[in-house]
Amino acid sequence: PAETGTSPATAPGGAGGRIWLLAVLALMVMLCEGAANDWSALHLKDVLGAPAGTAAFAYGTFAAAMTTGRLLADRIVARFGSMAVLRHGAATAAVGITLVALCPWMWAAFTGWALFGLGLSGTVPQLFSAAGHADPAAAGANVSRVAGLGYVGMLAGPAAIGWLTHLVALDHAFVLLTLLCLTTAAAAGVLRTGSDRAPHDEMAPT
């Protein structure tokens, strides 16, 4: 009979835990994305006193940066690997949202939302891709688990920030997003498997 091998991604007892960790990370980063969708413009209007027309550009800045990042993500992954994209992207997002939370200047808010969108842009695709490659025989089910929990986070993000505004100011509530991004960056090692390593390492000349 054909010989079958196991890897850390498919070993019994290992794949399930890894998939759920990927799902939790997807929930966290998509919660951040959902929060930006609903609260970025309100932050500029209610906290910084920007006119409604100017405040609307906060979400536009975030969305434009995220779109740009998504368009470039494949090239960056091919050069540096998915783990680096997840780790440094989440760290960049943490810097951006911290800038939004702590700085009282409008230019800093726009810069922060741009960094937040750029940092988050490549994170979710890496988590979905890792789920699909973890166990080819169950790729569909694994991606569904990760995507499903991720979209729960997308829906929960606005509500979570809204609940926090009953306790602290809106800009201070964004510190929750900083913590989620830093946690994601710290947990990026979940992508460290043979199939997720940077392709340039495998193709390096000998």
Side-chain angles (χ1 to χ4, degrees), residues 16-40:
R18 182 168 183 257
I19 292 302
W20 286 114
L21 177 54
L22 292 170
V24 170
L25 294 179
L27 182 148
M28 291 194 292
V29 295
M30 292 180 74
L31 187 151
C32 292
E33 190 174 334
N37 291 345
D38 278 34
W39 290 100
S40 53

Side-chain angles (χ1 to χ4, degrees), residues 127-151:
L127 296 170
F128 287 4
S129 178
H133 287 93
D135 182 358
N142 288 337
V143 172
S144 295
R145 291 187 184 101
V146 174
L149 201 56
Y151 282 109

Side-chain angles (χ1 to χ4, degrees), residues 106-137:
M106 201 173 301
W107 65 265
F110 281 117
T111 301
W113 286 117
L115 287 174
F116 194 51
L118 188 65
L120 290 177
S121 63
T123 56
V124 171
Q126 308 322 308
L127 296 170
F128 287 4
S129 178
H133 287 93
D135 182 358

Side-chain angles (χ1 to χ4, degrees), residues 4 9 12 46 55 65 98 112 120 139 162 180 190-191:
T4 58
D46 294 348
T98 301
L120 290 177
L180 294 178
V190 69
L191 300 187

Side-chain angles (χ1 to χ4, degrees), residues 146-193:
V146 174
L149 201 56
Y151 282 109
V152 168
M154 176 80 78
L155 296 173
I161 296 299
W163 178 79
L164 282 175
T165 59
H166 294 294
L167 305 176
V168 297
L170 174 58
D171 49 347
H172 297 159
F174 290 148
V175 172
L176 169 65
L177 308 183
T178 299
L179 296 175
L180 294 178
C181 289
L182 290 176
T183 301
T184 300
V190 69
L191 300 187
R192 195 196 304 273
T193 69

